[in-house]
Structure formats: C-alpha cells, structure tokens
Amino acid sequence: LYQRVLSGSSEASEITIPTPSQGKKVISLKYAPARDEHGEIVGAFVTAADVTEQREREHLNRELLLSNVAARKLFQNVLDSISDGFVALDKDWHYTYVNERGAALLNNHKPEDLIGKHIWTGFPEGLNHPFSLQYDKVMKERAAQTYLRHYEPWDRYFENR
C-alpha cells in the first residue's frame, strides 16, 4: 500500500481495532502522496478517522431495510394467498397493490397492468358511479364500510370492504 502511495496513487482502507471497553473501533485510513514544490513525491500523508458510529448506523440501516423487505414479502404472501380479490389504492387513487384474483375480477387484467395506474384512467366508466362516490366517502372519512353494488358496465355485482 505504501509503495502504491509513493508511486502517486491515493488509497483508502479501514481497520477494526479491538478495544477492552467498547468491543471494537473502526478506523478509516486515507493515504495520499506528499509532494515537494517540484511535484516530486517525498513521502505520504495519512489521515485517520474513527468511523465506528457511522458503520454501526449503516449496519442498523441495512438490518432495518432487510427486516422491512421481509415484512413486506410476508404481507404480500398473505395478500396473494387469500381467495378474495384485493386491491389497494393510495390517496391519489393509484393502484399500489392488486392480487391475482382482484386483477381477474377487474375485467381480466393482470396485477402488473394495474399497479401505478389511476383507477379512473383505467376504468373511466366508473367515475361518478355509486362505486366512485362510495370510494370518495371512505377516503374522506377514513372509515371502513362494506357495500354490495351492481356494476352496470360489466353486469356484475361487487362487494367492497
């Protein structure tokens, strides 16, 4: 490493040092060539910084990310396994989740055809229908409701919860 720095290369490394009271310290080392007024390399600069807390935060962030991914996957598996059609919409009326059965009930679409799309762009015939009025009410009141309605454009009954 020292020879590379003396050849003009800047380098960086980290070392872990065991400590009696704190378990370990992570030290970041940066090496750069030291040059004289003629640009000739005459030595090396070495800086050291304790990055233990930063590495611990990064480790915790990775662990949280992994646990969030696992929780999300478990949640998705549960939703995918139910026999009822299930869709979730965000506050702007875009599909955020659609299971296979839900997509099939929505005129034989596939989930990936719906995710991210606006509900009324995909189904404009539903706008100002009793369904959309009920959806608006639920979204505004933030209260669960159950209702059964006939959807004339498809001549099909839907129970929404």
Side-chain angles (χ1 to χ4, degrees), residues 65-79:
L65 179 63
L66 290 174
S67 67
N68 284 341
V69 167
R72 201 175 225 159
K73 185 68 178 160
L74 176 63
F75 185 66
Q76 184 172 351
N77 287 342
V78 168
L79 293 177

Side-chain angles (χ1 to χ4, degrees), residues 42-111:
V42 293
F45 292 109
V46 179
T47 59
D50 182 350
V51 294
T52 306
E53 288 182 17
Q54 179 182 348
R55 293 300 175 260
E56 288 172 355
R57 280 192 305 274
E58 289 170 356
H59 176 74
L60 287 174
N61 285 340
R62 275 191 304 277
E63 292 294 316
L64 281 172
L65 179 63
L66 290 174
S67 67
N68 284 341
V69 167
R72 201 175 225 159
K73 185 68 178 160
L74 176 63
F75 185 66
Q76 184 172 351
N77 287 342
V78 168
L79 293 177
D80 286 343
S81 70
I82 62 175
S83 59
D84 291 340
F86 182 87
V87 302
L89 302 164
D90 66 15
K91 65 180 179 56
D92 296 317
W93 302 104
H94 293 94
Y95 290 99
T96 58
Y97 179 83
V98 181
N99 71 1
E100 290 288 338
R101 179 72 179 136
L105 288 170
L106 295 174
N107 237 6
N108 291 316
H109 282 83
K110 294 180 181 171

Side-chain angles (χ1 to χ4, degrees), residues 114-135:
L114 298 169
I115 303 295
K117 293 199 173 138
H118 193 276
I119 186 173
W120 306 126
T121 301
F123 305 103
E125 68 277 5
L127 196 57
N128 296 318
H129 184 277
F131 276 109
S132 70
L133 302 175
Q134 195 74 39
Y135 293 164

Side-chain angles (χ1 to χ4, degrees), residues 3 15 22 30-31 40 49-50 68 95 99-101 121 142-143 145 152-154 159:
Q3 290 304 318
I15 59 172
Q22 296 171 326
K30 294 187 179 175
Y31 311 85
E40 296 294 320
D50 182 350
N68 284 341
Y95 290 99
N99 71 1
E100 290 288 338
R101 179 72 179 136
T121 301
R142 309 299 291 170
Q145 294 188 12
E152 294 88 9
W154 297 347
E159 180 181 4

